[in-house]
Amino acid sequence: MAEKAIIQDSLKHCSERRIFMPLLQLPKLTLADLARSGHVTRWHSVRTSRNQTLAEHHYMVTRISNKLAKEILGPDLKDSHLLQIMEYASLHDTPELLMGDLPSPLKQHIEHITEGENPIDAIEAEIAPWLVRMKREMRKEHLYIVKLADIIDALVFITIEGLGEHAKQVIHILEGMLAEKLSQARAQFPRYQWGYTTHLLNELLNNKDEAKIAFEFNRDEK
């Protein structure tokens, strides 16, 4: 109880300071900032065998979203909707160019102690208002597609590149997140083929560089 009181008092103090202090004028993300996505890295709090850049993540989420959208939504998917899905997928984490990749547990803790008034959301809206508008204009089932692709890319990367017990726990958490998001999508939009998500994940995890190996080593003997 004492710790909770300290947290509440601290939040009250921050709130009071915001009343008397001028709001920060944060910079807006521009096209020039996107050029930095090739060296902004992710997974800061998890031990991995290599770094994943934001550019790689955006590319993979875009391609996975494209495949999921076509297979899950089927004939209901319009070309304009696919373009919208892919554009959002290719930019969905651009605030990380300025903020860095904040660990998900940290975001969740902040959400909890601020009772839903997450300052991270406010900062992201300040530096990338166009991204907020893009998200608001999307259909709910299309946002599910991008979120599922986001989790799939995380699962594939950390399964292959993660090191140690902590990485194994992260995999377990991500699997739970994927199952929960799939359950929500099925409940809200039962007409679509959400089961394809698991099929694609398994395909990505079990590929084992088959095409690369076949290209380099499976030569016909003459």
Side-chain angles (χ1 to χ4, degrees):
M1 291 297 294
E3 292 182 357
K4 185 175 182 179
I6 291 172
I7 293 173
Q8 290 176 339
D9 184 66
S10 177
L11 291 172
K12 180 181 178 182
H13 177 66
C14 291
S15 179
E16 290 172 350
R17 289 187 64 196
R18 283 199 297 269
I19 294 174
F20 297 105
M21 293 177 63
L23 293 176
L24 291 175
Q25 296 298 312
L26 297 176
K28 302 292 190 293
L29 281 166
T30 67
L31 183 62
D33 292 306
L34 294 178
R36 300 178 55 251
S37 63
H39 62 259
V40 173
T41 57
R42 295 163 46 80
W43 300 103
H44 302 156
S45 62
V46 184
R47 186 182 172 205
T48 58
S49 60
R50 70 173 180 86
N51 290 329
Q52 184 189 42
T53 66
L54 181 60
E56 177 187 351
H57 175 61
H58 274 161
Y59 173 78
M60 288 305 303
V61 173
T62 301
R63 297 316 311 168
I64 294 170
S65 293
N66 176 281
K67 186 65 172 175
L68 289 178
K70 291 176 179 178
E71 297 294 336
I72 292 173
L73 303 178
D76 285 353
L77 180 66
K78 297 180 180 179
D79 289 343
S80 59
H81 289 158
L82 181 60
L83 179 62
Q84 190 179 37
I85 289 169
M86 293 182 66
E87 183 177 22
Y88 179 67
S90 71
L91 296 167
H92 72 281
D93 275 341
T94 46
E96 291 181 11
L97 289 167
L98 300 183
M99 298 170 58
D101 180 25
L102 299 178
S104 295
L106 173 61
K107 295 178 182 178
Q108 293 166 3
H109 292 324
I110 293 174
E111 183 84 18
H112 176 70
I113 66 174
T114 58
E115 298 180 349
E117 296 182 6
N118 197 330
I120 295 175
D121 293 339
I123 294 172
E124 290 182 348
E126 178 72 18
I127 64 179
W130 48 269
L131 186 64
V132 175
R133 289 194 298 270
M134 189 185 301
K135 185 176 181 180
R136 287 175 179 169
E137 291 170 359
M138 289 184 65
R139 298 170 63 144
K140 186 69 178 290
E141 62 267 40
H142 297 167
L143 289 174
Y144 273 123
I145 293 288
V146 177
K147 187 58 183 177
L148 291 170
D150 187 29
I151 300 172
I152 287 176
D153 176 61
L155 261 171
V156 171
F157 180 82
I158 207 63
T159 299
I160 296 172
E161 308 292 350
L163 301 173
E165 289 301 317
H166 180 220
K168 292 178 182 178
Q169 290 298 317
V170 172
I171 292 171
H172 179 70
I173 292 171
L174 287 170
E175 288 173 340
M177 290 173 59
L178 185 66
E180 181 181 5
K181 196 59 65 174
L182 266 176
S183 177
Q184 293 172 357
R186 285 192 176 106
Q188 294 186 41
F189 304 98
R191 64 183 293 183
Y192 297 127
Q193 305 303 313
W194 297 105
Y196 180 78
T197 304
T198 304
H199 172 80
L200 181 59
L201 174 62
N202 291 333
E203 181 180 333
L204 292 171
L205 288 175
N206 297 320
N207 179 49
K208 298 179 180 178
D209 299 324
E210 290 179 1
K212 181 65 173 174
I213 293 171
F215 179 81
E216 293 185 355
F217 299 106
N218 290 354
R219 302 185 179 92
D220 292 332
E221 295 293 337
K222 301 221 176 167

